[in-house]
Amino acid sequence: MRTKVVIIGSGPSGLLLGQLLTNAGIDNVILERVSRDYVLGRVRAGVLEEGMVSLIDRAGAGQRMHAEGLPHDGISLAFDGRDHRIDLHGLTDKRVLVYGQTEVTHDLMDKRDASGALSIYEAGSVTPHDFASDHPYVTYEKDGLTLRIDCDFIAGCDGYHGISRKSVPETAIQTFEKVYPFGWLGILADVPPVSHELIYANHPRGFALCSMRSQTRSRYYIQCALDEHIDDWSDERFYDELRRRLPAEHAEALITGPSFEKSIAPLRSFVAEPMRFGRLFLVGDAAHIVPPTGAKGLNLAASDVHYLFEGLLEYCNEGSAAGIDAYSGRALKRIWKAERFSWSMTMLLHRFPDTGEFGQKIQEAELDYLVHSTAASTALAENYVGLPY
Ligand code: APR
Ligand code: PHB
């Protein structure tokens, strides 16, 4: 088999890139390790920047997103027992759309199915080859056979644990990493959200986040120790702890109900440089991870896809390699600014074991300055709604 672009991974990065290429008449094949149901079973974040919304529209997969997504004009920072609203739209003239990543993935899968583009699920041992040459190819196993796809380019959209980054010679890649000394214990429950906007809470007992998937489905998180076990957290214990970390008005208003998803996720910052190795490009989580405090993970995948798609389009239509040559540098400039923002929000809102009394006073002064300074609030807002591509 031959195609222009082999995309490894059928997550948001791979599906969005694949649809943009297909719509532009650039042939591509997606190779995915697990089943489509497994991909759709993943629970991820759900705050979309306007740039991502535009890309999903350009992919022709935005109908349900606009029908069911919730436009949000602000967020709240809760500390010292009260809310402090950050007026995202008033400060930036932009807003975010609350719409689950699972829904984005579903919509892009449906669009790809309708377009007739080829996705191969449950493809084993996917391996990129000869990407330092002008004749790369990818092998994979399916139904007991080892198969090969010759191509012009390989897009490694296979996430943090994927094969693409691991296929790059160690001497050709540099990684940067920070692991945080806590995790997020999160639940999903079909109960109305406690507030119409997201609440990021800094409390002496730890961070909490009140989010949502719809007007009837809530997503809640609390900061927890890395050695916590999910089996030790009944719904009742979770809600009690969440109430303790929220201002009284929200604690009293919280509507609880049985969770249907409960998990603990570690937090890390990670970047791999560069993101291009000959004919192989790393995209999305394959190249970078952010702590979810800034809601940037999915949105960074989108800007990577934007830069790579524009470069591939220029190459295929005009024969110019300028765009693909610039991909890594352009993507990394935006990635590092999102890494900075996600790190700063994590440092601002979480309790760290080794902060000390001085560090705690600094965190409190930072919060006080942030919510009482238009300049500081605007800086947070413009990062939260998304810096320009
Ligand atoms: N071969 C084929 N597919 C693979 C391989 C492999 N060796 N390894 C991983 N994959 C698949 C995974 O099964 C997954 O479906 O690649 C896909 C990667 O998807 P994501 O991990 O979702 O990464 P990405 O598409 O970049 O989306 C980033 O997802 O994890 C969240 O917080 C992250 O919101 C961000 C978004
Ligand atoms: C979520 O809804 O899962 C969510 C929202 C905002 C974040 C992180 C997660 O910063």
Side-chain angles (χ1 to χ4, degrees), residues 17-196:
L17 177 62
Q19 198 56 48
L20 293 173
L21 291 171
T22 298
N23 293 354
I26 300 173
D27 191 58
N28 63 92
V29 175
I30 291 180
L31 290 173
E32 168 57 56
R33 176 168 62 183
V34 299
S35 69
R36 64 168 57 215
D37 287 346
Y38 191 96
V39 174
L40 290 172
R42 290 186 182 122
V43 176
R44 292 285 198 278
V47 174
L48 309 188
E49 298 171 355
E50 288 185 356
M52 171 138 213
V53 170
S54 299
L55 278 174
I56 293 170
D57 282 335
R58 185 172 180 184
Q63 185 180 358
R64 197 160 70 100
M65 174 183 68
H66 290 293
E68 298 178 15
L70 304 172
H72 278 211
D73 289 352
I75 59 171
S76 280
L77 302 184
F79 57 93
D80 289 345
R82 58 173 292 241
D83 277 358
H84 303 267
R85 186 169 185 267
I86 303 291
D87 181 5
L88 299 176
H89 190 251
L91 291 166
T92 69
D93 200 29
K94 291 184 180 179
R95 51 174 57 93
V96 293
L97 192 72
V98 172
Y99 186 65
Q101 177 175 312
T102 307
E103 310 318 315
V104 170
T105 305
H106 208 298
D107 296 342
L108 287 168
M109 274 190 188
D110 288 349
K111 182 67 181 178
R112 186 165 180 89
D113 291 346
S115 71
L118 178 60
S119 292
I120 300 170
Y121 287 92
E122 297 177 283
S125 305
V126 175
T127 308
H129 300 273
D130 290 357
F131 46 82
S133 79
D134 289 343
H135 305 288
Y137 65 97
V138 178
T139 56
Y140 66 98
E141 291 175 4
K142 184 76 177 174
D143 303 330
L145 298 174
T146 297
L147 301 158
R148 167 174 170 150
I149 306 178
D150 289 282
C151 55
D152 292 334
F153 299 102
I154 304 169
C157 301
D158 47 348
Y160 180 72
H161 300 287
I163 186 63
S164 297
R165 191 179 70 248
K166 294 170 186 164
S167 299
V168 174
E170 285 188 10
T171 54
I173 194 167
Q174 184 178 8
T175 59
F176 306 83
E177 186 165 29
K178 177 180 180 58
V179 177
Y180 297 88
F182 42 73
W184 278 16
L185 166 56
I187 69 164
L188 270 173
D190 282 331
V191 291
V194 72
S195 172
H196 69 295

Side-chain angles (χ1 to χ4, degrees), residues 43-47 98 100 184 188 198 200 207 209-213 218-221 291-296 345 384:
V43 176
R44 292 285 198 278
V47 174
V98 172
W184 278 16
L188 270 173
L198 273 61
Y200 290 80
F207 168 80
L209 170 59
C210 300
S211 184
M212 65 201 72
R213 291 292 176 269
S218 296
R219 178 65 160 158
Y220 294 119
Y221 299 95
T293 331
K296 290 298 156 213
M345 285 284 276
Y384 194 90

Side-chain angles (χ1 to χ4, degrees), residues 197-346:
E197 293 179 333
L198 273 61
I199 302 171
Y200 290 80
N202 175 310
H203 187 277
R205 295 178 68 88
F207 168 80
L209 170 59
C210 300
S211 184
M212 65 201 72
R213 291 292 176 269
S214 69
Q215 303 290 14
T216 60
R217 179 166 290 184
S218 296
R219 178 65 160 158
Y220 294 119
Y221 299 95
I222 57 173
Q223 172 186 346
C224 67
L226 283 172
D227 59 1
E228 285 288 351
H229 294 287
I230 203 74
D231 297 340
D232 296 335
W233 285 87
S234 67
D235 287 353
E236 183 183 11
R237 183 185 177 196
F238 178 90
Y239 287 125
D240 285 346
E241 187 58 39
L242 177 63
R243 283 193 193 90
R244 287 193 182 101
R245 300 185 186 187
L246 296 177
E249 63 174 301
H250 296 307
E252 289 156 14
L254 185 70
I255 298 173
T256 64
S259 65
F260 63 87
E261 199 278 339
K262 190 182 290 175
S263 56
I264 295 176
L267 275 67
R268 79 173 73 238
S269 299
F270 174 84
V271 179
E273 291 188 4
M275 292 168 60
R276 185 254 178 115
F277 307 89
R279 296 291 181 117
L280 170 66
F281 299 89
L282 301 182
V283 185
D285 272 20
H288 44 76
I289 297 288
V290 284
T293 331
K296 290 298 156 213
L298 183 56
N299 293 296
L300 273 184
S303 46
D304 289 355
V305 166
H306 166 76
Y307 298 133
L308 182 56
F309 169 65
E310 294 298 334
L312 292 171
L313 191 65
E314 184 185 52
Y315 182 87
C316 293
N317 290 352
E318 303 166 29
S320 163
I324 54 176
D325 290 347
Y327 166 70
S328 181
R330 286 180 75 190
L332 283 167
K333 279 178 72 67
R334 190 172 195 269
I335 288 160
W336 275 112
K337 283 181 270 191
E339 289 282 349
R340 181 209 67 82
F341 174 66
S342 304
W343 167 85
S344 69
M345 285 284 276
T346 304

